[in-house]
Amino acid sequence: MAEFTVALAGNPNVGKSTLFNGLTGLKQHTGNWAGKTVSTAEGSFDYNGSRYKIVDLPGCYSLMARSAEEEAARDFIRSGTADLTVVVCDATCIERSLNLALQIIAETDNVILCANLMDEAERKGISLDLPLISERLGVPVTGISARSKEGPLQLLPAMEKALKEGLHPPKPESTSPEYLSRLAEEICRGAVFSGPDSLRRDRQIDKVLTSRVLGFPIMLALLALVFFITITGANYPSKLLSDVLFKVQDKLIGFCRSASVPEFIYGPLLLGVYRVLAWVISVMLPPMAIFFPLFTLLEDLGYLPRVAFNLDRCFKGCHACGKQALTTCMGFGCNAVGVTGCRIIDSPRERLIAVITNSLVPCNGRFPALIAVISMFFAGGSGSLVSALLLTALIVFAVAMTLLASRLLSATLLRGVPSSFTLELPPYRPPQIGRVIIRSVLDRTIFVLGRAAAVAAPAGLIIWLMANVSIGSGTLLSLCAGFLDPLGRLLGLDGVILMAFLLGFPANEIVIPIMLMAYTAQGMLIDYQGLGELRAILVQNGWTAKTALCFLIFTLMHWPCSTTLMTIKKETGSLKWTLVSLLTPALMGGALCMLVNLLFYITSL
């Protein structure tokens, strides 16, 4: 069986990944390019007695190697590894894609052009003379709609023919951006026909969503809606999952007791490791399973680039990159995912700023604690809507702190001026619900949950030992909380709260359960029967409105969780910047808590 390697190249948002998934199905795997943090995907399929290995190159606009993505794509094409390169273009704006196509033709011979999104072009009144474009470009051009079931298959005959016959397209006389732009314009002249209203709908929508007056209010309204849906939607499945997992725990304990297994054996494993894992899964999984699909839905719809456009001025004013707005949004789901998303930022300096400050926005693991404290001490039992609005206000504060930290870093450790970048506003498209669910659940939710579980298991053992090993008149947990109490009081908190944050380092979801365990002197994580019971326990242990406010601030701004720090170390390859990423939010949160504590003290005099 003959084997061929085919590279897929193209700009971002042209449907390259959709084509890749349609060709390879589930026979694919992902990883990183050697020596780079740029992700790659490879897959394979059989066609007419031949095996095709597909390599999905990073989406980029050029091969001029101004970013890691461009460098990886250029190096792979130059290596000669690919027998054929398929350049995927957006049929609604094919002239823009031709710049990359011409650069690739200058680097290699076997190239064909795939004009994707032909159905969308037709809806917008755009028609293409593909034979004329092919004649002028010197390579075969095939029009498809990769979203349709048969779309990817329409490309296969052209691929097979190009591989059998071999191609030798004419090379551009120059690869300067100016020359290529003129050449792309000449190729499209008389071959691309646009109706007068082809982009009218998108422009009308953008006048509203990106306007100076309505852009930010709409962003905040959508954010509040996402939080409201996440808060209300996660309650029931979280409770159901918790009941199931803890019933399994009870049955395992009953089995151990009936089998006369000593408590010192099953206690650490079931009441420590298993109980913490069950808690993390039941609290973390439902919100992520709701938030990530909603976030991916906005991404698939084309709205997230508009968020970056709206916030570009804010981040640029802080000498950071406007793309940081996107990575900040990713951080709401998981800070580790947000840190990984910082790869889209070309400038190493601005990428570091985005990585260091990503933990200043709360991930979904911090939402349960934030929502609980807001509901108990500030919402007055008004329900999920008021809690969602107050949470949104808290998020706006977190974004403001992100901007402040970005400005401070750009003036101290990471001095520099903001770089310019091309921000593409892709057309609005109907989201693919099935693809959204797969991407958000498999690629994000399960990935993050797996990492959190890996670090939560050993943490469960440590927590159980500290709560059950006694030294003198108290347990290790109570002694450590007592040692931290003076510092906690300085921050407007107490030693138990600080100890809970330290032990919650693997997963923020277990901070409140650890607090309850310490306050009630229990030997394992305990649950609470409603917010009323939880508030009563906290008030009995000295909580006031000041404590609740300082708790909210410290929940927003403290050290990143272990999963995020591991990701930062992997992305930066530096212990120094990992330490800076740990200290920056912790010092900011500590300073703000001390300020709030001081203000409450002054007003009480």
Side-chain angles (χ1 to χ4, degrees):
M1 176 183 290
E3 295 187 2
F4 301 103
T5 297
V6 178
L8 288 185
N11 300 158
N13 302 308
V14 296
K16 187 162 58 69
S17 296
T18 303
L19 176 60
F20 172 79
N21 292 330
L23 290 173
T24 62
L26 298 178
K27 298 177 182 178
Q28 54 189 251
H29 67 274
T30 59
N32 281 348
W33 295 91
K36 300 179 177 67
T37 57
V38 179
S39 60
T40 179
E42 295 182 5
S44 61
F45 66 93
D46 296 335
Y47 177 70
N48 282 353
S50 298
R51 168 66 55 88
Y52 291 80
K53 175 186 175 184
I54 307 294
V55 179
D56 190 8
L57 299 181
C60 58
Y61 294 99
S62 168
L63 298 183
M64 299 301 181
R66 291 173 297 182
S67 67
E69 286 80 6
E70 293 174 0
E71 183 182 355
R74 182 203 62 191
D75 291 349
F76 186 85
I77 291 171
R78 282 183 175 176
S79 69
T81 304
D83 300 299
L84 175 69
T85 300
V86 177
V87 183
V88 185
C89 301
D90 184 346
T92 65
C93 46
I94 195 169
E95 181 179 332
R96 183 191 62 205
S97 299
L98 289 182
N99 285 276
L100 178 63
L102 288 166
Q103 290 181 38
I104 293 175
I105 290 172
E107 297 285 351
T108 185
D109 285 336
N110 259 16
V111 179
I112 65 174
L113 197 72
C114 171
N116 189 26
L117 302 171
M118 292 293 290
D119 53 343
E120 192 169 311
E122 183 179 353
R123 283 198 301 271
K124 293 184 175 183
I126 300 173
S127 59
L128 305 177
D129 188 339
L130 296 182
L132 181 57
I133 294 175
S134 174
E135 179 185 344
R136 291 174 175 177
L137 192 60
V139 300
V141 179
T142 302
I144 70 166
S145 299
R147 288 188 173 207
S148 66
K149 186 176 181 181
E150 302 297 326
L153 303 180
Q154 297 170 0
L155 183 63
L156 297 181
M159 290 171 53
E160 183 182 45
K161 183 178 180 181
L163 286 166
K164 286 183 178 179
E165 297 180 358
L167 300 173
H168 300 282
K171 305 294 183 183
E173 295 179 6
S174 170
T175 56
S176 69
E178 296 80 9
Y179 177 80
L180 292 179
S181 295
R182 290 197 304 270
L183 185 55
E185 184 179 353
E186 291 174 6
I187 291 172
C188 291
R189 186 177 296 120
V192 179
F193 306 93
S194 300
D197 298 329
S198 60
L199 298 176
R200 182 180 177 184
R201 186 200 63 174
D202 286 4
R203 287 172 179 167
Q204 288 178 334
I205 296 174
D206 281 340
K207 283 182 180 179
V208 177
L209 296 184
T210 63
S211 72
R212 290 178 179 269
V213 177
L214 296 176
F216 278 89
I218 292 174
M219 280 170 47
L220 294 177
L222 279 175
L223 185 64
L225 178 62
V226 169
F227 286 147
F228 176 73
I229 295 173
T230 303
I231 292 169
T232 55
N235 287 334
Y236 178 74
S238 183
K239 182 68 169 62
L240 181 64
L241 194 56
S242 174
D243 291 342
V244 171
L245 292 175
F246 287 132
K247 280 182 181 178
V248 172
Q249 171 201 277
D250 294 339
K251 291 201 175 285
L252 290 173
I253 291 175
F255 172 78
C256 290
R257 287 174 177 170
S258 64
S260 300
V261 177
E263 186 174 353
F264 71 85
I265 293 179
Y266 74 76
L269 294 176
L270 295 181
L271 299 178
V273 175
Y274 179 87
R275 191 171 182 85
V276 169
L277 274 175
W279 202 294
V280 169
I281 292 172
S282 61
V283 174
M284 193 174 181
L285 181 58
M288 279 201 305
I290 296 173
F291 179 87
F292 277 139
L294 291 175
F295 183 87
T296 311
L297 194 67
L298 292 175
E299 181 183 8
D300 214 40
L301 190 62
Y303 179 68
L304 287 188
R306 274 78 183 176
V307 173
F309 178 85
N310 289 335
L311 292 175
D312 177 50
R313 292 187 301 273
C314 301
F315 281 99
K316 192 173 182 179
C318 298
H319 289 200
C321 178
K323 290 181 181 179
Q324 189 175 336
L326 295 177
T327 65
T328 299
C329 290
M330 294 178 190
F332 290 131
C334 174
N335 295 128
V337 174
V339 168
T340 303
C342 293
R343 298 172 181 177
I344 66 175
I345 301 175
D346 298 336
S347 164
R349 182 190 73 85
E350 293 170 348
R351 191 183 310 125
L352 274 175
I353 291 176
V355 167
I356 294 168
T357 60
N358 193 269
S359 296
L360 288 170
V361 295
C363 64
N364 78 85
R366 287 180 266 176
F367 285 156
L370 292 172
I371 294 165
V373 173
I374 287 173
S375 301
M376 290 184 294
F377 289 90
F378 301 105
S382 300
S384 299
L385 180 58
V386 174
S387 297
L389 292 175
L390 290 175
L391 181 61
T392 303
L394 206 60
I395 297 308
V396 173
F397 173 75
V399 173
M401 291 298 101
T402 301
L403 293 170
L404 175 62
S406 299
R407 186 66 186 90
L408 291 174
L409 286 168
S410 66
T412 54
L413 296 177
L414 294 165
R415 292 186 182 90
V417 295
S419 61
S420 60
F421 72 97
T422 301
L423 177 63
E424 178 189 8
L425 295 182
Y428 294 100
R429 296 173 182 142
Q432 295 177 289
I433 304 299
R435 180 166 160 259
V436 164
I437 293 174
I438 292 174
R439 283 173 56 200
S440 57
V441 174
L442 295 183
D443 293 350
R444 293 176 177 172
T445 304
I446 301 302
F447 169 75
V448 174
L449 188 63
R451 278 197 173 184
V455 292
L461 179 60
I462 294 172
I463 292 169
W464 187 90
L465 289 173
M466 292 193 69
N468 288 274
V469 175
S470 298
I471 298 179
S473 59
T475 63
L476 281 174
L477 181 60
S478 62
L479 292 174
C480 291
F483 175 78
L484 291 173
D485 198 61
L487 177 59
R489 299 294 176 185
L490 182 65
L491 299 174
L493 307 170
D494 61 30
V496 168
I497 300 173
L498 278 188
M499 196 64 209
F501 275 107
L502 286 172
L503 291 176
F505 173 63
N508 288 289
E509 292 82 359
I510 58 177
V511 169
I512 286 186
I514 293 173
M515 285 167 38
L516 293 179
M517 181 176 67
Y519 283 142
T520 58
Q522 298 290 320
M524 62 180 182
L525 297 185
I526 65 170
D527 200 357
Y528 49 89
Q529 300 300 318
L531 294 180
E533 180 184 343
L534 174 59
R535 190 180 191 280
I537 295 174
L538 297 179
V539 171
Q540 288 171 10
N541 285 274
W543 274 56
T544 62
K546 178 195 73 175
T547 315
L549 182 56
C550 290
F551 177 85
L552 291 176
I553 292 173
F554 204 71
T555 302
L556 280 180
M557 291 180 284
H558 65 284
W559 45 86
C561 70
S562 57
T563 304
T564 302
L565 280 180
M566 288 165 55
T567 305
I568 292 172
K569 175 60 174 64
K570 181 180 178 182
E571 293 295 311
T572 64
S574 167
L575 285 174
K576 170 191 172 182
W577 294 118
T578 304
L579 182 62
V580 172
S581 301
L582 183 147
L583 291 176
T584 298
L587 292 177
M588 290 183 66
L592 273 175
C593 285
M594 284 192 286
L595 178 61
V596 169
N597 192 29
L598 178 62
L599 291 175
F600 268 87
Y601 175 75
I602 293 174
T603 56
S604 65
L605 294 177

